Amino acid sequence: MSAVETLIVPRSSDLGGGLQVRRALPSAQRRTVGPFVFLDNMGPAMFEPGKGVDVRPHPHIGLSTVTYLYEGAMMHRDSAGHTQEIRPGELNWMTAGRGIVHSERTPDVQRGAGHRLSGLQLWVGLPSRHEETDPGFVHYGLDAQPVIEGEGVRAQVVAGSLFGRTSAVQTLSPLFFGDITLQPGATLVVPAEYEERAAYLTRGAVEIDGQVYQPGQLLVFAAGQPVTVRALDAARLAILGGEPLDGPRFVWWNFVSSSKERIEQAKHDWQRDRFNQVVPGDETEYIPLPAPRA
């Protein structure tokens, strides 16, 4: 049996200003991997001076957003009063729970000078008992994430437990998320301790069971067996997964829930200003609810 159960080639879209985003989850082939219900790879993009990312205030329920950058910087602001710049290798973990509003924009320094941006944005679905938890936000620096190095492999344990090390990032379900770099010819063995596992390639080609995989692909691994990944050149990949969620999740726009009725309520709440919609420092704009598809 092949170690790669499903191969996903994400669709690409332009968010404006030259920022391309590839969405690997959810897809037609696979909706989730462990508790991860969403994976976007943004960039790499080069912004000229005066240009940058401007994701206006928008709402979330029923999930945690995870922002991890490879290059550049982003400024997070939310309706709970948190303001935090994130830089490469750091981690922003925002738990929406019963509802939060946030924005993400290029910081003023980078916007003025021009900069390059790339990274990952992921959503983690919350266990049903935590879907209506209080919203919150935590920023984690590099000191919260153990690093294992040797034989051409560097593995940063961003969240959860991996390779016998555990990140200080607090999660509400068993999961793992690692940032892996491989020198040419180096091998990585992804353990079988979690039921659901995947790897997203951001740089370089790798070989698994004689098959070559390229950057921009999400490889979902078969359960129950370790997977050996060999780098054909200098490679970087994110590995992620964990235990499946306790039941299906519905995803509509920025809302995730085990209940379709709860998502309908969130739609009405956003339209009628029933969220705590004010984001301090970013009060003048917001993203309206998308129009229903014809």
Side-chain angles (χ1 to χ4, degrees):
M1 183 176 66
S2 172
V4 177
E5 178 183 270
T6 306
L7 171 63
I8 298 170
V9 180
R11 61 188 184 275
S12 181
S13 59
D14 191 336
L15 296 187
L19 179 62
Q20 293 285 328
V21 172
R22 288 167 295 280
R23 180 154 300 165
L25 289 176
S27 74
Q29 301 102 308
R30 184 87 182 207
R31 306 299 297 176
T32 62
V33 175
F36 291 90
V37 300
F38 179 96
L39 191 162
D40 264 5
N41 175 204
M42 55 184 175
M46 185 66 202
F47 292 97
E48 298 177 355
K51 304 293 185 180
V53 173
D54 287 295
V55 181
R56 295 167 291 159
H58 58 280
H60 288 286
I61 66 164
L63 56 84
S64 292
T65 65
V66 181
T67 303
Y68 187 82
L69 297 183
Y70 297 131
E71 302 172 279
M74 293 280 280
M75 183 66 75
H76 164 97
R77 295 182 177 90
D78 65 46
S79 55
H82 303 101
T83 299
Q84 177 65 56
E85 182 174 331
I86 181 174
R87 292 180 175 273
E90 301 173 347
L91 184 71
N92 277 1
W93 192 286
M94 184 184 78
T95 297
R98 57 183 167 77
I100 197 168
V101 181
H102 77 134
S103 67
E104 293 171 296
R105 299 183 185 268
T106 298
D108 292 341
V109 171
Q110 285 77 14
R111 189 184 299 269
H115 71 293
R116 186 175 167 90
L117 178 71
S118 65
L120 300 178
Q121 293 217 317
L122 308 100
W123 296 352
V124 176
L126 300 180
S128 56
R129 67 184 181 278
H130 293 302
E131 285 185 303
E132 297 298 319
T133 193
D134 291 339
F137 172 87
V138 184
H139 173 82
Y140 295 94
L142 293 170
D143 57 347
Q145 306 166 56
V147 174
I148 303 102
E149 292 187 87
E151 299 182 347
V153 179
R154 182 185 187 276
Q156 184 170 324
V157 184
V158 181
S161 297
L162 193 62
F163 307 127
R165 304 291 299 276
T166 300
S167 166
V169 173
Q170 297 297 303
T171 69
L172 294 173
S173 59
L175 58 79
F176 71 96
F177 172 30
D179 178 13
I180 312 297
T181 54
L182 302 173
Q183 297 302 314
T187 60
L188 172 80
V189 178
V190 182
E193 59 189 291
Y194 294 96
E195 182 177 346
E196 298 188 355
R197 302 161 297 157
Y200 182 80
L201 306 180
T202 60
R203 184 182 73 225
V206 301
E207 180 267 329
I208 302 172
D209 288 347
Q211 179 67 44
V212 175
Y213 299 96
Q214 302 292 339
Q217 297 179 335
L218 178 68
L219 319 177
V220 182
F221 300 136
Q225 59 176 315
V227 178
T228 300
V229 180
R230 184 172 69 89
L232 300 181
D233 41 33
R236 189 170 194 172
L237 59 153
I239 57 174
L240 63 140
E243 297 306 311
L245 289 162
D246 53 351
R249 291 297 184 274
F250 303 102
V251 180
W252 189 90
W253 192 38
N254 301 313
F255 305 140
V256 174
S257 179
S258 57
S259 164
K260 289 183 178 180
E261 292 74 19
R262 180 66 180 91
I263 288 180
E264 290 301 314
Q265 178 189 331
K267 292 181 187 180
H268 293 304
D269 288 346
W270 185 242
Q271 286 180 312
R272 292 164 174 77
D273 296 337
R274 291 175 182 164
F275 275 80
N276 176 16
Q277 296 190 218
V278 176
V279 175
D282 202 348
E283 299 94 344
T284 61
E285 296 184 297
Y286 71 95
I287 300 177
L289 193 76
R293 292 181 180 177

